[in-house]
């Protein structure tokens, strides 16, 4: 048996204790080393303590339930084989029943940003050790949102795969037919790397399955669903943060589409308010029937609530779920991805302990339906609220959309400018999502009326183009305001080396299939040529015929079209120089 440092169960941690220490149940004195080589070599991870690590006790947050497994859970073995090392086992809501992280005899796990607030559950400890930089990544489980809620509350990524994509053999079940092993990481790229190593069919897991995952990213111009009824339970900061997220999604090329929230909400209610809760009881029936007194409240009452249903009740609940699923699935005819807040609000530990049922239910407002309806999901950070607490959003996609979600989620996460968790470390560079084949595209530099926010920008976005970054030309160009153009346009001309100046531009990526129609619509004297950028690279971009410069105004000193237009707008009409070509 592996010798380990064990936390002692306690309902009230000592006043002078480090509240973050409750994140661990078992901390190994030395990491359990993985293979010397592999895609995850050098990384260290923690496992939620309902996931078996051979030779290390598994408690599921209940000391009386403790056992020591002789082998690793399938997912742990795959990660060790990929080169990662295990640091230990993390705290959780007992038997993975809860979304708040306070239902544990090992103590409540605090938020990484403010210890008065919850970390979220049930995978509270796994989220905390990633958010505080103690582990590179961590495994959680997700039945009703336990792999997403803690991510949203701690400014980290929570990847909940499609059901059955990652084996749950060696995981203490919560509701076995819908359980998922989830992944916490500081970045989407790392979470996707871990998923690539962890995924694979397992004939010894009754719910494992072979899934054909989508191999193309979502369109650059994508449609995202937003439920038409979004409760935030009075949290105005959360509502404002979600509105900001919608603005950012628009900037990334998204178009919001209202979707009916009712079938999603009604499906979520079935998880605890129908015979489906019997699966919670079935998961630990052998232990619960003899040791009910060893189970904490309110977990005890929730599990006991599953005892009184008949088989017919369960069948009726399943049928009701399918009816709601059919209604909910109609939204996919109009959208590519669903976007929801990861959680509607933050609660303090004291609030959850005082009102453990209602507030826990609130936390699952946007998560409980996902596994029931067989969707994939990815929780990503979105912003830090004015009160210093994180706000996150979740991308929800059809079963098998895991790599598509990772691609879009990574684009969104990097657009936020946030750092990783509570560590202050910047995000790493965007990573290639291994499961996706990139669509053929062309990079295009624009300098004038096609810039974002300018009159012709729609010619880019309607063709699915997306903004990559802001850049500058090499200092070998001059910019002119062309006469008699509507809307007003500049002309960019290359001159002798050193005879010009760096000119501001935007670099866009356009699907190759739409590039021809875009170029064909460009009027003379403009055209597409090769531009040299300040970093020495070359891209396709707008250029102008030199013969068109007669009567044009040299505006090179402004450094770009946007700056020129701003200066023009700020100049009194009486003092403006006549527009080129004006009579």
């Amino acid at each position: 048996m592996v010798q380990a440092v064990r936390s002692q169960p306690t309902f009230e941690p000592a006043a002078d204790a480090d509240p973050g220490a409750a994140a661990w149940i078992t901390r190994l004195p030395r990491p359990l080393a993985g293979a010397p080589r592999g895609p995850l070599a050098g990384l260290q991870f923690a496992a939620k303590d309902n996931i078996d690590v051979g030779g290390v006790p598994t408690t599921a947050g209940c000391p009386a339930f403790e056992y020591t497994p002789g082998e690793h859970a399938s997912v742990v073995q795959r990660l060790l084989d990929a080169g990662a090392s295990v640091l230990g086992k993390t705290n959780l809501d007992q038997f993975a029943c809860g979304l708040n992280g306070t239902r544990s005899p090992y103590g409540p796990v605090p938020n990484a940003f403010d210890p008065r607030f919850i970390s979220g559950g049930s995978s509270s400890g796994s989220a905390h050790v990633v958010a505080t930089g103690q582990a590179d990544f961590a495994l959680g489980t997700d039945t009703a949102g336990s792999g997403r809620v803690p991510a949203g509350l701690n400014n980290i990524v929570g990847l909940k795969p499609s059901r059955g994509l990652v084996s749950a053999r060696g995981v203490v079940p919560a509701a076995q037919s819908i359980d998922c092993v989830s992944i916490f990481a500081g970045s989407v790229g790392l979470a996707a790397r871990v998923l690539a190593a962890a995924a694979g069919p397992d004939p010894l897991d009754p719910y494992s399955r072979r899934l054909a995952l989508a191999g193309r990213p979502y369109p650059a111009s994508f449609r995202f669903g937003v439920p038409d009824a979004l409760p935030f339970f009075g949290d105005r900061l959360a509502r404002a943060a979600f509105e900001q997220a919608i603005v950012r999604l628009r900037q990334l090329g998204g178009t919001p589409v209202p979707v009916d929230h009712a079938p999603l909400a009604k499906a979520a209610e079935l998880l605890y308010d129908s015979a489906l809760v019997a699966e919670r009881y079935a998961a630990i029936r052998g232990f619960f029937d003899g040791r009910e007194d060893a189970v904490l409240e309110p977990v005890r009452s929730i599990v006991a609530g599953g005892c009184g249903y008949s088989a017919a009740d369960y069948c009726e609940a399943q049928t009701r779920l399918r009816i709601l699923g059919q209604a909910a699935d109609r939204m996919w005819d109009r959208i590519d991805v669903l976007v929801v807040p990861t959680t509607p609000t933050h609660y303090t530990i004291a609030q959850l302990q005082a009102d453990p049922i209602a507030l826990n239910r609130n936390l699952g407002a946007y998560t409980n339906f996902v596994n029931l309806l067989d969707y994939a999901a990815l929780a990503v950070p979105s912003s830090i609220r004015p009160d210093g607490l994180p706000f996150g959003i979740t991308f929800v996609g059809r079963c098998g959309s895991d790599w598509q979600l990772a691609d879009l989620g990574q684009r969104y996460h990097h657009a936020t400018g946030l750092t990783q968790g509570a560590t202050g470390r910047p995000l790493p560079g965007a990573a290639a999502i291994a499961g996706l084949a990139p669509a053929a595209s062309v990079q295009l530099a624009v300098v004038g009326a096609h810039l974002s926010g300018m009159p012709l920008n729609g010619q880019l976005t309607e063709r699915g183009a997306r903004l990559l970054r802001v850049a500058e030309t090499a200092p070998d160009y001059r910019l002119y305001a062309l006469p008699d153009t509507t809307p007003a346009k500049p002309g960019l001309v290359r001159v002798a080396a050193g005879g010009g100046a760096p000119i501001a531009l935007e670099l866009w990526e356009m699907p190759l299939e739409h590039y021809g129609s875009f170029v064909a619509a460009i009027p003379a004297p403009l055209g597409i040529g090769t531009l040299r950028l300040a970093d020495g690279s070359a891209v396709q971009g707008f250029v102008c015929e030199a013969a068109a410069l007669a009567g044009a105004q040299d505006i090179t000193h402004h450094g770009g079209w946007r700056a020129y237009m701003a200066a023009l707008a700020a100049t009194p009409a009486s003092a403006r120089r006549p527009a080129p070509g004006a009579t």
Side-chain angles (χ1 to χ4, degrees):
M1 175 179 169
V2 177
Q3 296 296 313
V5 178
R6 303 295 306 283
S7 296
Q8 295 300 313
T10 175
F11 291 94
E12 295 293 338
D16 59 349
D18 172 14
W24 296 97
I25 290 179
T26 301
R27 183 72 185 262
L28 300 177
R30 295 182 305 278
L32 179 60
R37 299 180 185 84
L40 303 181
L43 298 177
Q44 298 182 329
F45 74 99
K48 184 177 179 178
D49 200 22
N50 60 343
I51 302 173
D52 287 346
V53 174
V56 180
T58 296
T59 72
C62 179
F65 181 78
E66 180 180 307
Y67 64 91
T68 300
E71 62 182 19
H72 304 306
S74 176
V75 62
V76 171
Q77 185 63 62
R78 291 182 70 95
L79 296 177
L80 288 168
D81 292 343
S85 301
V86 181
L87 292 170
K89 308 289 290 295
T90 54
N91 202 354
L92 68 155
D93 281 326
Q94 193 173 73
F95 293 113
C97 187
L99 290 173
N100 58 80
T102 70
R103 299 173 176 177
S104 172
Y106 297 94
V109 178
N111 189 281
F113 285 75
D114 187 332
R116 297 172 301 166
F117 287 82
I118 61 169
S119 178
S122 61
S123 309
S124 53
S126 289
H128 186 92
V129 300
V130 170
T132 54
Q134 299 177 63
D136 296 307
F137 68 93
L139 296 180
T141 60
D142 189 310
T143 304
S146 298
R148 290 161 281 154
V149 166
L153 297 180
N154 287 280
N155 193 44
I156 60 173
V157 171
L159 191 161
K160 188 219 74 72
S162 296
R163 284 178 4 204
L165 183 60
V166 176
S167 173
R169 177 166 57 91
V171 178
V172 178
Q176 193 171 8
S177 69
I178 59 171
D179 288 344
C180 295
V181 175
S182 65
I183 299 163
F184 295 104
S187 68
V188 176
L190 177 54
R193 282 174 59 197
V194 175
L195 176 61
D202 181 354
L204 299 181
D205 174 4
Y207 291 99
S208 175
R209 53 181 173 169
R210 295 182 182 272
L211 291 173
L213 302 185
R216 294 286 183 184
Y218 289 123
S221 183
F222 59 94
R223 304 161 301 166
F224 63 96
V226 179
D228 56 10
L230 288 168
F232 289 93
F233 305 100
D235 192 332
R236 289 177 293 178
L237 293 181
R239 183 178 294 277
F242 188 63
E243 291 171 353
Q244 293 168 4
I246 291 176
V247 171
R248 183 176 291 120
L249 286 163
R250 285 181 180 271
Q251 293 170 343
L252 291 176
T255 299
V257 178
V259 299
D260 186 5
H261 187 229
L264 305 176
K266 290 176 180 177
E269 292 171 0
L270 292 176
L271 191 63
Y272 291 110
D273 293 342
S274 78
L276 296 185
V277 76
E279 197 165 7
R280 292 275 183 178
Y281 168 62
I284 57 170
R285 179 178 181 179
F287 174 79
F288 189 80
D289 285 350
R291 295 297 309 274
E292 180 178 344
D293 62 319
V295 181
L296 297 178
E297 286 290 1
V299 177
R300 182 192 312 154
S301 295
I302 293 169
V303 173
C307 299
Y309 291 101
S310 68
D313 294 332
Y314 186 79
C315 292
E316 288 178 0
Q318 285 286 357
T319 300
R320 176 62 178 159
L321 177 60
R322 287 312 313 138
I323 292 171
L324 292 169
Q326 295 281 22
D329 283 352
R330 288 197 286 269
M331 68 184 174
W332 301 117
D333 295 334
R334 300 185 297 114
I335 65 173
D336 299 299
V337 64
L338 177 69
V339 178
V340 295
T342 301
T343 63
T345 189
H346 280 264
Y347 291 120
T348 65
I349 291 172
Q351 286 175 308
L352 254 301
Q353 291 174 331
D355 192 0
I357 301 296
L359 301 191
N360 188 86
R361 185 186 298 268
N362 293 350
L363 289 170
Y366 304 117
T367 61
N368 285 354
F369 65 87
V370 174
N371 281 350
L372 289 172
L373 298 179
D374 200 14
Y375 299 152
L378 176 71
V380 296
S382 184
S383 61
I384 302 298
R385 304 167 7 150
D387 61 0
L389 294 172
F391 176 81
I393 64 171
T394 295
F395 295 98
V396 181
R398 298 174 190 251
C399 177
S401 64
D402 304 69
W403 301 131
Q404 294 176 308
L405 294 175
D407 175 70
L408 179 57
Q410 180 171 245
R411 286 175 54 200
Y412 183 88
H413 193 192
H414 278 72
T416 66
L418 293 170
T419 53
Q420 298 183 65
T423 66
R425 296 197 298 260
L427 288 175
I433 304 302
L436 287 182
S441 63
V442 176
Q443 290 190 7
L444 177 69
V446 300
V447 296
H450 288 89
L451 293 166
S452 55
M454 293 292 181
L456 297 183
N457 184 250
Q459 294 181 358
L460 294 172
T461 57
E462 69 189 11
R463 289 172 169 83
R466 62 172 180 166
L467 176 62
L468 296 178
R469 59 187 174 92
V470 174
E472 288 184 330
T473 68
D476 307 330
Y477 293 86
R478 301 200 72 82
L479 191 68
Y480 296 83
L482 298 177
D484 305 321
T485 56
T486 303
K489 301 180 184 70
L492 183 71
V493 179
R494 188 167 185 176
V495 295
I503 302 300
L505 57 84
E506 289 179 349
L507 194 61
W508 287 72
E509 184 177 55
M510 179 181 291
L512 183 60
E513 60 183 310
H514 299 309
Y515 186 61
S517 68
F518 178 78
V519 173
I522 298 173
L526 301 178
I528 298 295
T530 300
L531 300 185
R532 182 71 58 182
L533 302 188
D535 62 6
S537 62
V539 297
Q540 297 294 293
F542 277 85
V543 294
C544 181
E545 299 173 8
L549 302 182
Q553 178 184 348
D554 189 334
I555 59 171
T556 306
H557 60 285
H558 287 283
W561 184 247
R562 195 185 301 279
Y564 165 72
M565 295 296 285
L568 192 64
T571 303
S574 59
R576 291 180 189 173
R577 174 179 171 178
T583 58

